Amino acid sequence: MRLELRVCQHCLDGDHGNEKRTALLNDMVDCAEQIQEYKEVIDLDAVHIRKVKDDEPGKPAALPVVSATIQNDQVVLNDTQLVAEGQDGNMLVYTNPDDVLTVLAGNLDEVSKAVTEDVTVDLSAVGAEIVSQADLGANREQEQ
């Protein structure tokens, strides 16, 4: 199984002036980096993080999937997506930022259940609200 997160480098850096989006993308990257460090724990072969700039074609790093939308009668590549490739070769593509963060947080939740280290990521207020609504259930006290 493999994951690939693709985000806009300019949004990540705050160059596009949308603070909420910048915070959310940074949360995604922070979660993906933590998952990347512990990928073997949840049987992931690889976790790729691709930061795309405006002057690049935006090709994926490893998983050959690019999602698009139609805006003003033109095809526009989505600058944010998460692709998850399963063991059977099927790929799931998440383009909604809330869904992307929820999936990454869910994977991080699975890591937290399997290791003794603290793998918590300090999320922004926006990201924390999204994840809290997802009810991922990483409460170890309830499991004991």
Side-chain angles (χ1 to χ4, degrees):
M1 292 178 31
R2 298 184 292 172
L3 291 178
E4 181 169 328
L5 173 65
R6 187 177 114 168
V7 297
C8 171
Q9 179 69 56
H10 302 288
C11 290
L12 192 64
D13 294 339
D15 297 341
H16 289 152
N18 185 335
E19 292 178 22
K20 179 180 174 183
R21 184 169 178 82
T22 295
L24 194 53
L25 292 180
N26 276 288
D27 289 344
M28 290 177 199
V29 170
D30 290 347
C31 287
E33 288 174 345
Q34 191 74 315
I35 294 165
Q36 194 173 42
E37 187 174 333
Y38 292 93
K39 66 182 186 279
E40 296 84 14
V41 172
I42 55 173
D43 293 326
L44 290 175
D45 297 319
V47 177
H48 303 277
I49 303 168
R50 174 84 162 90
K51 300 172 185 174
V52 181
K53 296 182 180 178
D54 286 342
D55 58 350
E56 297 176 337
K59 289 187 174 186
L63 299 175
V65 175
V66 177
S67 60
T69 56
I70 297 176
Q71 297 175 4
N72 299 324
D73 295 327
Q74 292 187 358
V75 175
V76 178
L77 299 181
N78 290 331
D79 62 3
T80 300
Q81 70 178 32
L82 176 69
V83 179
E85 179 188 42
Q87 292 175 345
D88 57 3
N90 289 333
M91 293 192 208
L92 299 174
V93 181
Y94 302 91
T95 57
N96 179 300
D98 291 12
D99 294 342
V100 171
L101 183 59
T102 300
V103 170
L104 290 169
N107 277 275
L108 201 51
D109 182 53
E110 291 303 310
V111 169
S112 74
K113 294 174 184 177
V115 299
T116 57
E117 297 90 14
D118 181 12
V119 296
T120 305
V121 171
D122 289 329
L123 298 175
S124 66
V126 171
E129 182 177 340
I130 290 166
V131 171
S132 70
Q133 292 175 359
D135 191 28
L136 298 173
N139 188 342
R140 290 185 177 173
E141 292 175 15
Q142 287 180 336
E143 294 172 11
Q144 293 177 353

